[in-house]
Amino acid sequence: MTGGTPRAPFGARLHSAVSARGNLCVGIDPHPALLESWGLGVDAAGVREFSRRSLEAFGDLVPAVKPQVAFFEEHGSAGFAVLEEVLASITESGALSIADAKRGDIGSTMAGYARAWLAADAPLACDALTVSPFLGVGSLEAAFDTASANNRGLFVLARTSNPEAGGLQAATGPSGTVAQSVVDEVGHRNAASVPGTPGSFGVVVGATVADPPRLDALSGPVLMPGVGEQGGTLADVRRIAGPALPHTLVNVSRHVLRAGPDVDAMRAVVRDLAGTYRFVGSA
């Protein structure tokens, strides 16, 4: 809440942000090699400065910023303290925060993760959280419920571009591929969304996959990594997203961050990419 007024659902807020700023999502990935290349220490202080410069470069330009939680978590409590600051700063910049934590568990443990990232007053509260469904989409029910109660969102892994994923995610069963069943279950949870506005539950589909699931019935957003250094192209994004294109967030991280530590250089890269990846009004 802000000033006592309930926030709009995540899907509606994302729709507004994309309409204003385009479809580019930039990650904050304070990888040790990047910290060193920026002349920063591989420690929590280095991560804090890396994140500060990153947000100065693009926090006001893009609709969403995606901190990679692993690179904060590896520095323990000090790293998580920095992440709390970063999530708050993303909100102050006018962007939406997507915590890339890929949490997934069952029962009370999943409920604990949901409270940590999605509850109203949680220190790590984000606008949306990435989650893993490979214990069954139903195992994420606590996350769906907590996100809904607090007008936050989820991005559920469906068809990722890492080479280890194909054997599992492209495996077929009575309902088609595993990836398609994930998309369909997430889409079912978006069934009550307002036409023209995405629901609050999305999926992650890589821009480099040759066998993507159909997204026409998702009625929600798509988070699409794999563009740029990983080989995905604008044509790939259009091919995979299809009718979900207007609500697709194209995630680019290291292509931008390698232009650092110079803030103006990173900002120039983001401006260029933002002009390319703008799909508002696309069919």
XYZ file of all heavy atoms in Angstrom, residues 205 212-216 222 224 235-248 279:
177
model
N 10.075 -17.909 -20.461
C 10.359 -18.683 -21.671
C 11.580 -18.043 -22.332
O 11.589 -16.841 -22.600
C 9.171 -18.683 -22.651
C 9.535 -19.459 -23.923
C 7.935 -19.297 -22.004
N 9.152 -23.644 -28.258
C 8.469 -22.963 -27.163
C 7.033 -23.442 -26.988
O 6.406 -23.914 -27.946
C 8.501 -21.500 -27.596
C 8.471 -21.572 -29.087
C 9.321 -22.756 -29.427
N 6.490 -23.308 -25.799
C 5.072 -23.598 -25.605
C 4.219 -22.504 -26.245
O 4.689 -21.382 -26.477
C 4.917 -23.590 -24.080
C 6.000 -22.668 -23.610
C 7.153 -22.880 -24.554
N 2.976 -22.815 -26.527
C 2.041 -21.809 -27.027
C 1.654 -20.884 -25.868
O 1.372 -21.339 -24.765
C 0.777 -22.467 -27.595
C 1.040 -23.416 -28.765
C -0.285 -23.966 -29.299
N -1.152 -24.439 -28.234
C -1.037 -25.624 -27.633
N -0.079 -26.468 -28.005
N -1.876 -25.963 -26.683
N 1.590 -19.599 -26.166
C 1.303 -18.610 -25.135
C -0.019 -17.884 -25.378
O -0.346 -16.941 -24.665
C 2.445 -17.585 -25.069
C 3.830 -18.173 -24.764
C 4.905 -17.098 -24.900
C 3.862 -18.790 -23.373
N -0.794 -18.343 -26.362
C -2.001 -17.618 -26.747
C -3.073 -17.608 -25.666
O -3.912 -16.702 -25.625
C -2.579 -18.197 -28.050
C -2.686 -19.709 -28.024
O -1.636 -20.369 -27.972
O -3.814 -20.224 -28.048
N 5.033 -12.407 -19.953
C 6.126 -13.331 -20.248
C 7.433 -12.630 -19.900
O 7.642 -11.472 -20.273
C 6.136 -13.737 -21.733
C 7.306 -14.681 -22.036
C 4.807 -14.373 -22.119
N 11.257 -12.984 -20.765
C 12.008 -13.694 -21.791
C 13.486 -13.329 -21.734
O 13.922 -12.326 -22.295
C 11.437 -13.392 -23.179
C 11.984 -14.312 -24.258
S 11.165 -14.085 -25.882
C 9.494 -14.636 -25.526
N 13.614 -11.157 -33.807
C 12.755 -12.097 -34.531
C 12.371 -13.275 -33.636
O 11.225 -13.762 -33.688
C 13.464 -12.589 -35.789
N 13.304 -13.751 -32.827
C 13.001 -14.842 -31.904
C 11.940 -14.423 -30.895
O 11.022 -15.188 -30.572
C 14.258 -15.287 -31.153
C 15.261 -15.992 -32.040
O 14.837 -16.759 -32.925
O 16.473 -15.779 -31.846
N 12.071 -13.219 -30.359
C 11.096 -12.734 -29.386
C 9.707 -12.704 -30.008
O 8.725 -13.184 -29.411
C 11.494 -11.326 -28.883
C 10.390 -10.748 -27.990
C 12.803 -11.382 -28.116
N 9.601 -12.186 -31.216
C 8.299 -12.122 -31.878
C 7.753 -13.521 -32.163
O 6.555 -13.783 -31.982
C 8.415 -11.322 -33.181
C 8.688 -9.832 -32.967
C 8.694 -9.080 -34.292
N 8.884 -7.652 -34.119
C 7.939 -6.790 -33.790
N 6.689 -7.216 -33.633
N 8.210 -5.504 -33.659
N 8.621 -14.420 -32.602
C 8.195 -15.792 -32.917
C 7.659 -16.509 -31.687
O 6.617 -17.168 -31.740
C 9.398 -16.569 -33.486
C 9.197 -18.086 -33.589
C 10.449 -18.766 -34.134
N 11.616 -18.598 -33.278
C 11.907 -19.419 -32.253
N 11.093 -20.430 -31.951
N 13.004 -19.223 -31.538
N 8.354 -16.365 -30.578
C 7.994 -17.123 -29.376
C 6.811 -16.495 -28.645
O 5.899 -17.197 -28.195
C 9.215 -17.239 -28.455
C 10.283 -18.100 -29.122
C 8.827 -17.823 -27.095
C 11.632 -18.061 -28.432
N 6.799 -15.172 -28.543
C 5.755 -14.511 -27.765
C 4.402 -14.557 -28.452
O 3.365 -14.737 -27.791
C 6.152 -13.058 -27.492
N 4.370 -14.405 -29.765
C 3.095 -14.425 -30.474
C 2.133 -13.387 -29.915
O 2.493 -12.219 -29.731
N 0.909 -13.784 -29.586
C -0.075 -12.812 -29.090
C 0.260 -12.240 -27.721
O -0.330 -11.247 -27.303
C -1.378 -13.623 -29.052
C -0.942 -15.043 -28.982
C 0.329 -15.130 -29.752
N 1.210 -12.851 -27.015
C 1.625 -12.317 -25.715
C 2.674 -11.218 -25.843
O 3.155 -10.692 -24.839
C 2.173 -13.451 -24.841
N 3.039 -10.845 -27.080
C 4.126 -9.889 -27.301
C 3.946 -8.565 -26.551
O 4.910 -8.068 -25.957
C 4.291 -9.636 -28.801
C 5.496 -8.782 -29.214
C 6.805 -9.486 -28.878
C 5.431 -8.471 -30.714
N 2.753 -7.952 -26.542
C 2.635 -6.669 -25.845
C 2.945 -6.741 -24.354
O 3.308 -5.737 -23.747
C 1.177 -6.271 -26.084
C 0.789 -6.994 -27.319
C 1.514 -8.306 -27.249
N 2.800 -7.930 -23.780
C 3.025 -8.095 -22.342
C 4.284 -8.914 -22.060
O 4.418 -9.512 -20.995
C 1.814 -8.763 -21.696
C 0.521 -8.090 -22.014
N 0.320 -6.740 -21.818
C -0.636 -8.564 -22.546
C -0.904 -6.425 -22.203
N -1.499 -7.499 -22.646
N 5.201 -8.917 -23.015
C 6.459 -9.642 -22.853
C 7.559 -8.692 -22.397
O 7.755 -7.624 -22.979
C 6.858 -10.310 -24.181
O 5.899 -11.322 -24.502
C 8.235 -10.948 -24.081
N 6.847 -2.943 -27.734
C 5.803 -3.655 -28.465
C 4.397 -3.157 -28.145
O 3.423 -3.810 -28.483
C 5.869 -5.150 -28.158
C 7.225 -5.754 -28.358
C 7.840 -6.466 -27.351
C 7.907 -5.588 -29.557
C 9.083 -7.029 -27.525
C 9.158 -6.138 -29.746
C 9.752 -6.872 -28.722
